[in-house]
Amino acid sequence: MMGSSFSKRLQSLIDLVTNYKTLHIVMLGLDSAGKTTALYRLKFDQYLNTVPTIGFNCEKVKLNGKAKGNSFLIWDIGGQDKLRPLWRSYTRCTDGIIFVIDSVDEERLEEAKMELMRTAKSPENSRVPILVLANKQDLPGAKDANEIARLLGLSDLNGKHLWHVQSSCSVIGEGLDEGLDILYDLITEQKRLNKLSKIKR
Ligand code: G3D
Ligand code: MG
């Protein structure tokens, strides 16, 4: 993880000079949920033919909405089961988590839920805001955002994590900018809450 901590420090220096923030985001989800497609849609505004990710991809993505000027450094971590133990080292010290769901893959929703809950409950991710992308909304039979929230049991996270489910179609980029704007708001809100709880103590 040396590369990651070095790039983080370098980024902090750049942010200090420019007065804009770069937040660190990790993108997780089962293999083939659409993580890499989403990342490259956000970064290059084009659809790239992806191959299953071995290891990780990392891109700096500029925010366009209210948070214009700020950026997310997004780590896209391979989702194959052999790679999942790696998630832990990437989620350490992250500002936010994006969890991508294939909204038509009913069979693996339970597995996705297990991995999401494992990540959410890990002590190093305590209070880290979570954006769930209910992806592949263009496909017939896709479950909508409310249904995905229910099936993943996200209300269990209430009081522990700020979370939001955004429906998306990564191949055309629909829902991605909206999702990032909401995640930015959740992170800002969580930072405010963290400050408040420090003052109280
Ligand atoms: P991953 O990085 O999470 O493993 P990928 O997933 O980004 O590699 O995507 C896996 C497959 O799902 C790809 O198709 C990709 O085109 C497709 N996909 C991703 N997002 C969407 C979406 O929103 N809608 C639809 N219809 N397909 C999507 P292939 O065929 O290359 O396996
Ligand atoms: Mg990938």
Side-chain angles (χ1 to χ4, degrees):
M1 288 320 297
M2 210 172 74
S4 150
S5 79
F6 176 74
S7 70
K8 206 163 176 172
R9 253 183 279 162
L10 184 65
Q11 195 59 62
S12 310
L13 268 173
I14 295 169
D15 293 350
L16 209 67
V17 176
T18 58
N19 209 19
Y20 284 125
K21 279 191 293 248
T22 301
L23 297 169
H24 288 250
I25 306 296
V26 69
M27 187 152 61
L28 304 171
L30 303 186
D31 50 296
S32 141
K35 300 177 292 297
T36 308
T37 309
L39 182 64
Y40 287 104
R41 233 320 155 185
L42 279 163
K43 177 68 186 179
F44 302 112
D45 203 17
Q46 66 178 349
Y47 169 63
L48 295 184
N49 234 331
T50 61
V51 288
T53 309
I54 316 275
F56 62 85
N57 304 299
C58 181
E59 298 293 344
K60 189 172 173 179
V61 172
K62 292 190 178 114
L63 298 177
N64 286 317
K66 290 189 299 246
K68 201 174 172 76
N70 300 296
S71 311
F72 280 166
L73 188 69
I74 304 183
W75 296 82
D76 155 27
I77 317 294
Q80 296 156 46
D81 45 7
K82 275 185 265 156
L83 297 170
R84 286 180 211 157
L86 278 178
W87 289 6
R88 274 191 80 155
S89 43
Y90 284 93
T91 53
R92 207 163 284 160
C93 301
T94 191
D95 295 300
I97 293 171
I98 300 176
F99 200 97
V100 185
I101 298 283
D102 179 337
S103 308
V104 282
D105 190 354
E106 220 176 328
E107 256 173 51
R108 291 207 301 166
L109 210 58
E110 193 54 39
E111 191 184 349
K113 174 182 177 175
M114 214 178 68
E115 296 294 351
L116 172 58
M117 288 304 165
R118 196 207 306 276
T119 302
K121 285 176 183 161
S122 135
E124 57 248 47
N125 298 330
S126 151
R127 300 186 185 284
V128 173
I130 300 172
L131 172 75
V132 173
L133 287 180
N135 195 38
K136 307 200 184 181
Q137 287 298 319
D138 56 308
L139 295 179
K143 306 209 177 308
D144 68 17
N146 287 335
E147 185 69 357
I148 291 289
R150 194 182 64 76
L151 291 167
L152 292 176
L154 292 179
S155 55
D156 285 358
L157 300 179
N158 290 346
K160 301 185 191 105
H161 292 267
L162 298 176
W163 58 267
H164 177 78
V165 183
Q166 170 69 49
S167 54
S168 68
C169 172
S170 287
V171 281
I172 59 165
E174 204 171 76
L176 299 180
D177 285 331
E178 292 90 326
L180 292 198
D181 280 349
I182 292 166
L183 182 58
Y184 184 87
D185 286 344
L186 297 183
I187 292 170
T188 307
E189 172 63 6
Q190 186 59 53
K191 289 197 167 166
R192 194 183 66 81
L193 294 171
N194 291 348
K195 264 192 203 147
L196 276 179
S197 72
K198 264 189 210 146
I199 292 166
K200 262 193 222 148
R201 265 188 247 137

